Amino acid sequence: MTLTSGVDLEIVDYLYSAEKERREVVKVTDQYPELTIDEAYLIQEKLIQRREKDGARRIGLKLGLTSKAKQEMMGVHEAIYGYLTDDMLALEWEPLDYNKFIHPKAEPEIAFMIAEDLQGTNITAEDVLRVTKYVAPAIEIIDSRYLNFKFTLPDVVADNCSSSSFFIGSKWMSPRVLNLADIGMVMSKNGQVSQTSSSAAVLGHPATSVAWAVNKLGEAGKGIKKGDIILSGAISEAISFEPKDSILVQFAELGSVSFSCK
Ligand code: 0L1
Ligand code: MG
């Protein structure tokens, strides 16, 4: 479709107010079935600009649909990216307020701490590792604004890829001392193992996933910056949780990260 400036801002309002008022809404493509992925990224950018106007600060990126299983489920061949803002950073030692969310799910991630600007369209996993000072265990809380987490690719991109909150664990390690291609992970809820997987589930290597995002940004003349935090993509399926639940993610070598809900 041809996205007019009135329509993009209308969609931004629609998604932003759903988030602030914590209510599910029908997906954007029910009203605009011809919305393209490129247009959805333009809407996402305006949504982030709106958050910035309200005081939020961009602090990095998150990748989504980075497992072959999830891409096949959605019938796509590409990952997606969204932005992280400072108000999404949750602290491990503080209980997570469940009332802030609509229908949250938790997923295990590896966070990359970026030490140098990086931009281009031929960026490799090696380039990403070169500019990565540390990696750390992370949990992302995704909270799609759409009814029952049901959406098409343009819908989820416009909704900043369901971004909502994230935790970073306290053990930060240089990627050079780890075999990042295959780090085992166990995610438990209330002491019961819920998911097991390996970092290989993220496009074969989490740095490949980050390189994909840098190349995608590069096509739009953008890049990643020194100081950015990048969540490289879910290592397993996301799991739902309820008030009072506790989630623990343990990685081989890389340590653990957890939260409890109030
Ligand atoms: O971070 C993610 O992997 C989520 C991307 C969007 C898809 C979803 O909400 O499940
Ligand atoms: Mg994620």
Side-chain angles (χ1 to χ4, degrees):
M1 78 183 232
T2 311
L3 190 65
T4 63
S5 121
V7 170
D8 59 3
L9 295 179
E10 182 197 305
I11 297 172
V12 166
D13 275 347
Y14 178 71
L15 291 171
Y16 194 39
S17 58
E19 179 185 347
K20 288 210 292 198
E21 292 159 22
R22 288 154 212 160
R23 57 187 171 78
E24 299 173 285
V25 291
V26 295
K27 59 191 193 306
V28 170
T29 54
D30 282 5
Q31 188 171 357
Y32 299 106
E34 284 162 15
L35 186 74
T36 65
I37 295 177
D38 286 347
E39 289 168 336
Y41 275 112
L42 294 176
I43 292 168
Q44 181 196 97
E45 174 60 31
K46 292 200 170 160
L47 179 63
I48 301 301
Q49 287 172 6
R50 174 71 59 84
R51 297 174 66 103
E52 287 174 322
K53 228 168 132 193
D54 286 352
R57 194 167 51 84
R58 274 179 230 233
I59 57 170
L61 278 185
K62 60 82 57 88
L63 281 288
L65 309 186
T66 47
S67 74
K68 284 282 163 237
K70 208 149 175 184
Q71 289 185 2
E72 273 164 25
M73 205 177 92
M74 300 274 307
V76 296
H77 302 100
E78 233 187 47
I80 51 177
Y81 72 85
Y83 284 96
L84 301 176
T85 52
D86 60 343
D87 52 340
M88 295 179 189
L89 180 61
L91 302 175
E92 235 191 321
W93 58 88
E94 282 183 355
L96 186 70
D97 183 1
Y98 191 89
N99 294 322
K100 281 178 33 187
F101 304 101
I102 304 167
H103 43 200
K105 296 182 188 182
E107 53 187 26
E109 302 254 353
I110 291 178
F112 283 60
M113 316 297 185
I114 303 300
E116 277 177 45
D117 294 0
L118 185 65
Q119 184 170 336
T121 51
N122 277 310
I123 300 297
T124 63
E126 287 69 35
D127 295 324
V128 168
L129 291 171
R130 182 175 42 79
V131 301
T132 301
K133 177 111 180 168
Y134 299 113
V135 290
I139 298 175
E140 184 182 15
I141 310 294
I142 52 172
D143 195 26
S144 171
R145 271 46 73 171
Y146 299 121
L147 212 54
N148 303 322
F149 259 92
K150 293 273 184 282
F151 39 70
T152 66
L153 204 57
D155 288 306
V156 68
V157 167
D159 186 32
N160 195 27
C161 303
S162 308
S163 306
S164 170
S165 236
F166 65 100
F167 295 86
I168 306 277
S170 53
K171 186 168 178 183
W172 297 15
M173 292 180 77
S174 164
R176 283 160 277 283
V177 300
L178 286 165
N179 177 17
L180 256 194
D182 185 16
I183 297 190
M185 182 287 305
V186 178
M187 177 158 68
S188 314
K189 179 161 83 173
N190 304 327
Q192 301 283 329
V193 172
S194 169
Q195 302 284 325
T196 58
S197 187
S198 152
S199 57
V202 184
L203 294 182
H205 193 303
T208 302
S209 170
V210 177
W212 175 85
V214 180
N215 287 321
K216 183 83 183 165
L217 285 169
E219 289 168 17
K222 303 180 196 171
I224 57 172
K225 298 207 167 58
K226 176 178 176 177
D228 277 352
I229 299 171
I230 303 186
L231 299 182
S232 52
I235 291 172
S236 74
E237 234 175 79
I239 58 170
S240 300
F241 57 92
E242 305 293 332
K244 305 236 160 42
D245 283 345
S246 295
I247 308 274
L248 167 67
V249 172
Q250 294 165 293
F251 288 97
E253 299 178 79
L254 193 51
S256 62
V257 52
S258 64
F259 70 89
S260 295
C261 240
K262 65 176 176 188

